[in-house]
Amino acid sequence: MIIGSHVHFTSDEQLVKSVEEAISYGANTFMFYTGAPQNTIRKNINNDLTKKAIQMMKENNIEIDNVVCHAPYIVNLATNDADKHNFSINFIKNEINRCEELKITKLVLHPGSAVHITKEEGLNNIINGLNRILKPNSNVILLLETMAGKGNECGSTLEEMKYIYDNIKCKESMGFCLDTCHLNDSGIDISKFDEYLNLFDELISIDKIGCIHINDSKNALLSHKDRHENIGCGTIGFENLINVVYNSKLKNVPKILETPYVGKNDNDKERLFPPYKYEIEMIKNKEYNPNLLNDIRNFYNKC
Ligand code: FE
Ligand code: FE
Ligand code: ZN
């Protein structure tokens, strides 16, 4: 099983920080943003730090090809605004270059949002953008993430993903990232995940799945909301998520947790603790811990 979570990447410690954090959770992979997820301010990559991080990965059984980078969510390839579209294309090209420098081979991207335009126009803008970004024989595979369908989000149905994929010239440099919360919120019943997987295989191809985000959801099937919940605490439930993680067809695909940090109580926004060490433990044991949230609070309060 290849499992990890979202971790930090700081400007002064870069991947070294990410690896340290992943190890502290008992993970054998991780996902990071090269800067804040909400903005596009990025620092140069420091090669000494990268070398150190790669050495740490080797010593801790973290296979670098399973490590995932996530592009910030404010780039938007679906937009009709030429300046924003060009900015997004250039940013993603630079992000691919940063991944190359960091020796990271997987980059997750949200397809984009069709603001003030039709879905079809948005999808065509995404295709045009991707055809300007994707290069043959790239070391970095761009993974489009399945979305919840919040607002005007593109990529919330398999049909939309297939439409994008069918119109991409450089198919060898792209793949997909499934997100269980997004799938649930877009109307896919995770208790019938195998049916979805078969359909994905029929329309696209199962070996195009390069990453899976494992999240529970705060909202009901088809809610189009996109609010992640801790593993086993939401509407998808522990058993259904375990069946995704342990699906034999997805054995070699990295599973990444993006579940919310836990406060002292539900209203506490000040002291927040990462849930990942505990969630990874539960997943490894295949046993739901009904005291999950309290155990997390107690662990970090003692530190
Ligand atoms: Fe994402
Ligand atoms: Fe996600
Ligand atoms: Zn999400």
Side-chain angles (χ1 to χ4, degrees), residues 31 33 70 73 108-110 145 147 179 182 213 228 258:
M31 182 178 81
Y33 292 77
H70 197 309
Y73 17 90
V108 171
L109 174 72
H110 293 182
E145 181 167 352
M147 301 310 290
D179 183 311
H182 298 177
H213 291 165
H228 302 184
E258 299 175 300

Side-chain angles (χ1 to χ4, degrees), residues 2 16 47 64 77 113 147 161 181 190 210 233 240 258 261 274:
I2 306 160
V16 170
N47 290 328
I64 195 159
L77 289 181
S113 213
M147 301 310 290
M161 288 307 210
C181 168
I190 301 296
C233 304
N240 289 328
E258 299 175 300
Y261 275 39

Side-chain angles (χ1 to χ4, degrees), residues 108-119:
V108 171
L109 174 72
H110 293 182
S113 213
V115 191
H116 307 308
I117 53 173
T118 65
K119 260 290 172 63

